[in-house]
Amino acid sequence: MLLWQVRGCTDLTLTSPDESPAHSREVTAGTAIWIPAGVRHRFTVRQDSVAVPLFFGREELATTLRRPTVVEVGQDLHALLLAHMVSSSSQIRPSANIARQVLALLESSPMVSEQLPMPRSLPAREVAQSLRFNPGDSRSVAELAASVHTSERTLERVFAAETSLTLRQWRIRNRMEAAATLLRTETAVGAVAHRVGYSHVNAFRRTFKEHFGITATQYAKQFSG
């Protein structure tokens, strides 16, 4: 859950699953706090205050956030939280996966290794940075090219010339490295698959094994416990 303090203050108490001493804090306007599944909590919203709890399905989306985390709600995150709230409470369903974008902002840093080659040319580099930020980005090549005001052919050519990978190859490697990071947090394989852009878990499993030589389940077991 993400507790978004829109106005005023909320008094929040958190208790870890290991029954360690409870931790109390004040959540102030313009901030939000991520509360992972399994962390017991209670909160009291003060008079004339507004706090909005936003929920993210544990079995649907993986994240590297394993501890309660406070974030500033800037302009970009504010817009995404509003969109997530509307899509969660109405029949409006945006084409983009808002939850993935919210989690990417909360995590604040790319999950992918710096060893993944990056194109040097500005339009292609902007696309690469966008995909590193949100590996589950489901936009087509045409949509990605249009977002940086270039053509599909140019975008494909630059990726091949400057990374030695086609855009499709680069994108798969980006997703697989992000998936590996998420699997090291002992997250369900299905949730990881959805987070990195796969609607069918079996397709993700096949691609992961082709990339790493072992199954996603075997990879995750190396880090269990």
Side-chain angles (χ1 to χ4, degrees):
M1 182 184 80
L2 182 71
L3 182 63
W4 176 23
Q5 193 67 35
V6 180
R7 186 178 68 193
C9 295
T10 289
D11 297 308
L12 172 70
T13 301
L14 301 169
T15 304
S16 299
D18 60 5
E19 303 297 335
S20 58
H23 172 68
S24 298
R25 64 168 298 123
E26 179 183 79
V27 187
T28 57
T31 64
I33 182 166
W34 174 261
I35 304 174
V39 176
R40 297 179 182 178
H41 56 279
R42 64 178 186 272
F43 59 89
T44 302
V45 182
R46 296 183 189 176
Q47 186 175 0
D48 298 322
S49 299
V50 177
V52 178
L54 299 172
F55 299 94
F56 299 79
R58 185 180 187 182
E59 299 303 319
E60 299 169 6
L61 286 172
T63 177
T64 58
L65 297 168
R66 313 307 295 172
R67 298 179 180 179
T69 305
V70 178
V71 295
E72 296 289 332
V73 180
Q75 183 176 355
D76 290 343
L77 184 55
H78 185 277
L80 287 173
L81 294 182
L82 284 176
H84 182 70
M85 183 171 64
V86 170
S87 65
S88 300
S89 58
S90 73
Q91 295 300 312
I92 297 175
R93 295 292 182 268
S95 57
N97 189 304
I98 301 298
R100 287 180 193 148
Q101 297 182 43
V102 170
L103 289 174
L105 279 178
L106 296 181
E107 290 162 339
S108 76
S109 60
M111 291 180 283
V112 181
S113 167
E114 295 292 341
Q115 295 179 357
L116 183 64
M118 295 286 285
R120 298 182 300 277
S121 301
L122 185 58
R125 189 172 185 85
E126 288 181 1
V127 168
Q129 288 173 335
S130 177
L131 294 176
R132 286 188 73 220
F133 171 75
N134 180 12
D137 192 323
S138 58
R139 286 178 292 175
S140 67
V141 176
E143 290 171 320
L144 290 171
S147 72
V148 292
H149 310 291
T150 191
S151 68
E152 294 178 59
R153 179 177 295 182
T154 299
L155 186 61
E156 295 275 16
R157 177 177 54 79
V158 171
F159 262 87
E162 297 183 355
T163 70
S164 298
L165 299 168
T166 65
L167 177 52
R168 180 178 181 279
Q169 290 170 332
W170 192 97
R171 199 172 195 174
I172 289 174
R173 180 170 167 183
N174 179 60
R175 286 179 168 183
M176 292 302 102
E177 293 193 18
T181 298
L182 291 165
L183 287 169
R184 290 196 291 270
T185 65
E186 301 181 42
T187 305
V189 172
V192 172
H194 294 149
R195 176 66 193 280
V196 298
Y198 286 82
S199 55
H200 300 290
V201 178
N202 285 341
F204 166 76
R205 290 180 183 275
R206 286 195 300 271
T207 305
F208 190 93
K209 187 174 182 179
E210 289 172 1
H211 187 79
F212 287 102
I214 61 173
T215 68
T217 300
Q218 290 170 333
Y219 185 93
K221 284 182 178 179
Q222 295 177 0
F223 301 92
S224 63

